[in-house]
Amino acid sequence: MNTDKPKTLLEVFTDPQKTDEVTIRLDYIPKTSELSLNKRTGIYGSRPAEKKAKEEAYYACISAGIPEKPFEQASLHVKFRSKNKKWPRVDIDNLNSTMKYFIDGFVQAGVLPDDSVKHLRETHSEYEILAETNETIITMKRL
C-alpha cells in the first residue's frame, strides 16, 4: 500500500484529549458511477476508486494517531456538501453506498474491529445543496 497522504484528503480533525472520535474531510463527493454497489464488477476492491476511498480513510486514521483501542461500538455520520444545483437528482441510496469503502478503511486502520452491526451501530447521512464547496465530511464516534 502506498504510504503517501492522499491528495484529496484535506484535513484530519483530532484532539489529543478526545480519543473517541475521528473526522476526515475530503475535497470531493464520491462519484456514484465509480463506487455504487450496483455497478460492482470483478474482484471486490479491484476498481481504482474503491482502492482510493479505502486508502484515504486508512491514511486519515493513521495520520491522526488513533485509535489506541478499536471502537467496540461506533456511529458513523457523513455529510455530503455540493455546490451543484442539479445534485438533488443523485440517487441517495447509491450515494450512501459509496461509504462502504471508507468504512473498510476505518476497519483496516483498526478504528473498528469489523464493519458488522455488532460494532457499527448507527449511520447517518446529511446532504447540503448549494454549499460553498464540494466536500465529504466523515465522522466515526465511539458509543
Side-chain angles (χ1 to χ4, degrees):
M1 189 174 278
N2 184 349
T3 58
D4 296 332
K5 176 180 159 189
K7 290 181 175 63
T8 55
L9 179 63
L10 290 180
E11 293 180 63
V12 180
F13 301 96
T14 57
D15 179 344
Q17 306 301 317
K18 198 172 187 181
T19 59
D20 60 351
E21 176 179 316
V22 61
T23 299
I24 60 176
R25 186 165 63 101
L26 307 169
D27 69 353
Y28 67 96
I29 298 167
K31 293 182 180 178
T32 57
S33 61
E34 295 176 357
L35 291 173
S36 171
L37 297 177
N38 291 337
K39 301 191 189 301
R40 288 181 72 180
T41 58
I43 300 170
Y44 160 75
S46 63
R47 294 185 299 177
E50 293 170 2
K51 183 177 177 183
K52 175 185 171 190
K54 184 175 178 179
E55 285 182 351
E56 285 181 333
Y58 170 79
Y59 287 116
C61 294
I62 297 303
S63 69
I66 61 162
E68 290 181 21
K69 295 180 182 178
F71 296 179
E72 286 303 316
Q73 293 188 338
S75 67
L76 177 74
H77 181 268
V78 182
K79 183 172 187 175
F80 300 99
R81 300 183 71 225
S82 175
K83 54 186 181 178
N84 184 343
K85 68 180 181 179
K86 294 181 181 180
W87 193 61
R89 292 185 230 168
V90 170
D91 190 339
I92 289 178
D93 59 341
N94 285 341
L95 186 59
N96 286 338
S97 74
T98 66
M99 287 297 97
K100 181 216 181 330
Y101 307 101
F102 294 99
I103 293 168
D104 288 347
F106 280 100
V107 170
Q108 183 180 1
V111 176
L112 285 173
D114 62 52
D115 58 359
S116 69
V117 295
K118 177 180 177 182
H119 301 291
L120 187 56
R121 302 301 299 257
E122 300 173 5
T123 60
H124 176 77
S125 300
E126 184 179 345
Y127 313 93
E128 183 179 337
I129 302 161
L130 298 177
E132 292 179 17
T133 185
N134 289 328
E135 65 183 355
T136 304
I137 303 167
I138 307 166
T139 302
M140 182 80 65
K141 290 184 182 179
R142 185 186 313 268
L143 293 177

